Amino acid sequence: MTALQLDHVNIRTARLADCVHFYGSMLGLRMQPPPMAEDTSKGAYACNAAGHPIVHLVGTDVVVEGDGAVRGAAQRGMIDHFALRFSGDPDDYAARLSAAGAAFDRMDVRQIGMHLIFVRDPNGVMVELGFPLID
């Protein structure tokens, strides 16, 4: 068997509303309630244009401060980063992130034919946005 693509990432967060705004408004993913939920008050799916959930947000009351390792159902520290492939103009996304006051880095990686934008979500999880390089 071979993995074909990333299915979804699950992030537990005490900052659910901030994450819904980040993934929905700032990154342009379609937000919807997860299965067996009426709304996004306790969790949300961030879906791609085809409607496939790629980020599953789960609200939690557990807040962990500091830089130490976190285990179990805590709200940070379990993911270094994850990558999402995007279409469109990376400058549009950079402008959206700038307008929201988000810090980010950009780079062209010719070896993989991608322009990458690195931004942190409200939990400090690094999100890599990948765009095909166009010469």
Side-chain angles (χ1 to χ4, degrees), residues 7-11 23 29 31 44-48 52-57 82 84 121 127:
D7 185 68
H8 76 273
V9 174
N10 185 292
I11 300 173
Y23 289 101
L29 298 174
M31 304 306 296
Y45 272 176
C47 300
N48 64 15
H52 182 82
I54 55 177
V55 180
H56 181 188
L57 301 168
F82 66 92
L84 302 173
D121 83 355
V127 182

Side-chain angles (χ1 to χ4, degrees), residues 51-89:
H52 182 82
I54 55 177
V55 180
H56 181 188
L57 301 168
V58 177
T60 182
D61 294 331
V62 178
V63 177
V64 177
E65 302 295 339
D67 296 53
V70 177
R71 299 277 185 246
Q75 59 93 8
R76 65 155 190 82
M78 299 303 285
I79 300 171
D80 174 65
H81 82 278
F82 66 92
L84 302 173
R85 183 139 321 178
F86 282 79
S87 61
D89 186 347

Side-chain angles (χ1 to χ4, degrees), residues 22-126:
F22 177 83
Y23 289 101
S25 297
M26 292 173 63
L27 297 188
L29 298 174
R30 189 178 84 226
M31 304 306 296
Q32 68 184 42
M36 299 178 286
E38 300 287 321
D39 58 32
T40 59
S41 63
K42 294 188 177 173
Y45 272 176
C47 300
N48 64 15
H52 182 82
I54 55 177
V55 180
H56 181 188
L57 301 168
V58 177
T60 182
D61 294 331
V62 178
V63 177
V64 177
E65 302 295 339
D67 296 53
V70 177
R71 299 277 185 246
Q75 59 93 8
R76 65 155 190 82
M78 299 303 285
I79 300 171
D80 174 65
H81 82 278
F82 66 92
L84 302 173
R85 183 139 321 178
F86 282 79
S87 61
D89 186 347
D91 290 335
D92 293 342
Y93 284 85
R96 187 184 301 180
L97 294 170
S98 291
F104 60 93
D105 293 310
R106 301 174 72 165
M107 69 175 66
D108 288 342
V109 183
R110 298 221 174 268
Q111 296 88 332
I112 60 171
M114 300 293 289
H115 176 80
L116 304 178
I117 298 175
F118 296 92
V119 61
R120 292 197 180 273
D121 83 355
N123 300 295
V125 175
M126 182 67 72

